[in-house]
Amino acid sequence: GQPVWFEVATRGDPDRRRYGAIYMDFIEDVVVPVLPTFFIAAWLSLYSLRRALQPVRSAARRVRNLDPTAVGAPLHIPATGLPQEVAVLVKAVNDLLHRTERLVQSQSEFIGRAAHQLKTPLGVMLLEAGKIDDPRAERLQKDLMQLGATTDRLLELARMQGAPPVDRGRLDLVVLVDDVVFDLATLAQNHHAQIEVVDLGAAHVCGDYMLLREALGNLVINAILHHPDHARIVIACGPGPRFSVEDDGRGIAPEDAERLFKPFARLSTTCEGAGLGLALVQKIVELHRGRITVARSELGGAAFHVELVRFELAADVASIPMVDAAARHARTDLAEQST
């Protein structure tokens, strides 16, 4: 009834069983106790690292939202709450942003002053050229008028560069489009162009009447002038706070869409111009916190889509100016009679 123990010894380990025993000891004595602690420590480390880098991510978001051309906006990154090592980097970035701001302002002021200084000599040259009784003077007058128009566009771009966002009043897109079509009726008739206005449920937008009229007018003029003949132009208002200008012309190649809105960008066209119209349109849309895109039109040509900010009705809506078509046409008629 007593247990009997036998001990068997082998010379060496021909079956290599000691490796299995060591492996099992490692699993039971090391891995099983340490593995939960390892995962907990790794999770705590990642959590602490994310919390520590939260100010850095916040600073990165502020950098992405900065607009160097927005004069008057705070062009710096707050360094409060950042680690000392990161705060040094933020200070260097702030210094770079301030230098960029000064550079943008100086360039804008230079363009504005240069354009303003050119206006008076161009006007004098145009008057003097009109006194010359020579057929070649007509070409000179035409070139001077084109140069004057380019100078005016440069001056407008310089004034808009760095301007604050526009937020001035409630506008009816249908009324705005009707006014532009009314103004360009003679130009469309001379080029045998047909302009059609479609209301797809346009909403009131918030913006400046004269600036949006300038932008829409440039888009329609481009559609008229860059069309071979008998252009068909469709201006769609809506749905919502957006409008589009489409034509049945040659269209725009996809590779040209990226540089289309750059200043002085001229594609394959025979029309005269400096290539500043679409750059001016894009700047006006950006000042209205909007977005402009170009695509292929269902009519076969180009389609420019402009999306603006919807006007939300507020308690003080009566104090916000509205544009009325009848009042606008009345002012136009009165101005023509005065002239």
Side-chain angles (χ1 to χ4, degrees), residues 109-315:
E109 291 176 0
F110 172 77
I111 295 176
R113 291 177 180 177
H116 187 271
Q117 293 296 328
L118 287 173
K119 288 179 66 66
T120 301
L122 285 175
V124 175
M125 294 170 62
L126 188 60
L127 290 176
E128 294 297 329
K131 301 177 182 179
I132 301 176
D133 188 12
D134 194 315
R136 292 174 293 181
E138 296 181 0
R139 178 61 183 174
L140 178 61
Q141 284 182 311
K142 189 175 182 180
D143 293 340
L144 289 174
M145 292 177 64
Q146 182 65 33
L147 185 58
T150 304
T151 304
D152 292 337
R153 291 293 177 86
L154 282 175
L155 188 58
E156 291 178 6
L157 281 176
R159 290 173 178 173
M160 293 182 184
Q161 191 75 17
V166 176
D167 190 9
R168 297 185 182 177
R170 183 176 68 175
L171 299 178
D172 189 338
L173 285 178
V174 179
V175 173
L176 178 68
V177 171
D178 288 340
D179 291 345
V180 172
V181 174
F182 178 80
D183 293 337
L184 300 179
T186 303
L187 179 65
Q189 183 178 4
N190 293 336
H191 288 79
H192 309 287
Q194 177 186 358
I195 302 178
E196 179 183 354
V197 180
V198 180
D199 185 3
L200 301 178
H204 288 87
V205 299
C206 195
D208 183 84
Y209 170 78
M210 296 304 297
L211 290 179
L212 288 179
R213 174 183 167 188
E214 173 90 11
L216 178 59
N218 279 329
L219 293 177
V220 178
I221 290 174
N222 284 342
I224 295 175
L225 297 182
H226 293 276
H227 195 281
D229 194 17
H230 295 84
R232 183 193 173 195
I233 303 170
V234 177
I235 307 176
C237 304
R242 61 179 58 90
F243 66 86
S244 62
V245 178
E246 304 184 24
D247 61 75
D248 60 345
R250 292 183 293 265
I252 298 172
E255 58 271 14
D256 295 333
E258 295 183 359
R259 62 187 183 93
L260 187 63
F261 297 99
K262 294 182 180 180
F264 302 103
R266 287 178 52 82
L267 305 182
S268 56
T269 177
T270 57
C271 297
E272 297 181 354
L276 293 173
L278 290 178
L280 187 63
V281 171
Q282 185 183 44
K283 189 60 184 177
I284 292 175
V285 173
E286 289 177 352
L287 289 178
H288 285 79
R289 303 184 184 92
R291 187 167 61 97
I292 180 171
T293 56
V294 58
R296 186 74 176 179
S297 171
E298 296 181 357
L299 302 178
F304 291 88
H305 302 280
V306 178
E307 185 171 357
L308 301 170
V309 178
R310 180 189 297 269
F311 181 85
E312 300 295 340
L313 293 178

